[in-house]
């Protein structure tokens, strides 16, 4: 049996390499400086080692087992559910929607995943401020990247990555016209953030405020295809 492996997000390699290199330099200098400087450099090298470990941990990208139900809404982010409500969404879908907000702290996996199979209709990156992502004003004022998608049954939904107090870099690899699959990785937000999900009113929500959820694994709810409209042919 193969040993389990914990992959890392590609965006993390430069950060990990920099921290590891700085730690190595500090450790090497301990042997090259006068003795009275060595305790200070040793402490700095230890801090660098701990920082390297934390950054490696932060950029982990573990494999996840998708929900079995085909109409399941796959969770886009690890974290805690902080909002479940209906809203009039005038910014993204221009419709009455169901909104789910997930707050990610610095200890959560930050790789984001596609909730429902579909086609990317629009991707909008908007600069802004960096309030704490668990505050209401973050939704209106923080930097965000909004992705609008359409399912094969022409049901539209939106995934919005919102930067936070520490998070200053949103990564979204999806492009307009891409065909994406539920559970597929599409980006991440560095160092603490939030993801808002706007769903059709027909979606059946299965989570509540306070629930801990996992990207690519937790079913936030279910979105069944709309009933087919059978139109009778006119009689000649």
């Amino acid at each position: 049996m193969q040993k389990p492996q914990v992959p890392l997000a590609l965006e993390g390699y430069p950060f990990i390499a920099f921290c590891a290199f700085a730690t190595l330099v500090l450790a090497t200098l301990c042997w090259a400086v006068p003795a009275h400087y060595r305790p200070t450099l040793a402490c700095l090298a230890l801090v660098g080692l701990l920082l390297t470990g934390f950054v490696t941990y932060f950029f982990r990208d573990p494999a996840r087992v998708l929900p079995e139900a085909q109409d399941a809404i796959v969770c886009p982010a690890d974290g805690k559910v902080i909002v479940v409500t209906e809203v009039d969404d005038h910014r993204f879908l221009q419709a009455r929607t169901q909104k789910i907000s997930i707050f990610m702290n610095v200890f959560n996996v930050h790789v984001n995943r596609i909730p429902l199979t579909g086609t990317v209709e629009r991707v909008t990156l908007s600069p802004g401020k960096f309030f704490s992502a668990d505050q209401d004003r973050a939704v209106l004022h923080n930097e965000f990247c909004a992705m609008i998608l359409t399912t094969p049954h022409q049901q539209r939904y939106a995934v919005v990555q919102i930067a936070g107090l520490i998070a200053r870099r949103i990564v979204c690899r999806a492009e307009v016209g891409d065909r994406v699959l539920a559970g597929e990785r599409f980006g991440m937000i560095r160092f603490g953030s939030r993801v808002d999900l706007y769903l059709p009113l027909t979606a059946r929500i299965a989570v509540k405020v306070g629930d801990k959820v996992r990207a690519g694994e937790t079913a936030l709810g279910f979105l069944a295809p709309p009933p087919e409209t059978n139109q009778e042919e006119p009689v000649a």
Side-chain angles (χ1 to χ4, degrees):
M1 184 175 65
Q2 293 182 345
K3 294 182 180 180
Q5 297 181 350
V6 179
L8 298 172
L10 292 177
E11 293 81 6
Y13 284 101
F15 293 91
I16 297 169
F18 175 79
C19 292
F21 178 75
T23 301
L24 179 62
V25 170
L26 291 170
T28 303
L29 287 175
C30 286
W31 301 98
V33 299
H36 60 279
Y37 290 117
R38 291 176 185 173
T40 300
L41 286 174
C43 290
L44 291 175
L46 179 59
V47 171
L49 181 62
L50 294 174
L51 183 60
T52 302
F54 171 75
V55 172
T56 302
Y57 175 77
F58 176 84
F59 284 104
R60 68 197 185 280
D61 182 14
R64 296 286 169 83
V65 179
L66 295 176
E68 294 183 358
Q70 292 186 353
D71 59 349
I73 302 167
V74 178
C75 183
D78 278 31
K80 179 181 179 180
V81 177
I82 58 174
V83 173
V84 178
T85 188
E86 287 190 13
V87 296
D88 290 316
D89 173 32
H90 301 295
R91 303 174 72 193
F92 308 115
L93 299 178
Q94 290 77 48
R96 183 78 175 172
T97 65
Q98 297 190 80
K99 178 181 177 181
I100 301 175
S101 298
I102 300 168
F103 175 71
M104 297 180 283
N105 62 41
V106 293
F107 299 105
N108 292 129
V109 173
H110 276 60
V111 174
N112 299 141
R113 295 177 181 254
I114 297 293
L116 293 159
T117 295
T119 302
V120 179
E121 178 184 313
R122 187 170 77 248
V123 178
T124 303
L125 178 61
S126 176
K129 299 183 181 299
F130 298 96
F131 295 119
S132 179
D134 59 347
Q135 298 181 8
D136 291 338
R137 60 180 176 173
V139 178
L140 298 176
H141 302 293
N142 280 20
E143 180 172 318
F144 69 83
C145 181
M147 182 170 57
I148 314 301
L149 302 99
T150 305
T151 72
H153 300 284
Q154 303 305 306
Q155 297 161 295
R156 299 173 73 241
Y157 72 96
V159 184
V160 185
Q161 299 168 288
I162 302 175
L165 182 64
I166 302 175
R168 299 299 175 104
R169 180 74 170 92
I170 297 174
V171 178
C172 179
R173 294 188 292 271
E175 298 180 355
V176 174
D178 284 352
R179 167 77 173 177
V180 292
L181 300 176
E184 182 179 351
R185 300 168 177 85
F186 74 90
M188 70 178 305
I189 318 174
R190 296 176 187 166
F191 303 112
S193 42
R194 166 177 175 161
V195 172
D196 287 354
L197 184 59
Y198 296 83
L199 298 162
L201 293 178
T202 53
R204 179 163 56 88
I205 306 302
V207 293
K208 62 183 183 301
V209 173
D211 284 353
K212 299 294 181 63
V213 293
R214 288 161 60 94
E217 188 169 291
T218 304
L220 298 182
F222 304 90
L223 182 61
E228 295 183 2
T229 302
N230 296 321
Q231 296 182 350
E232 298 183 358
E233 296 184 359
V235 179

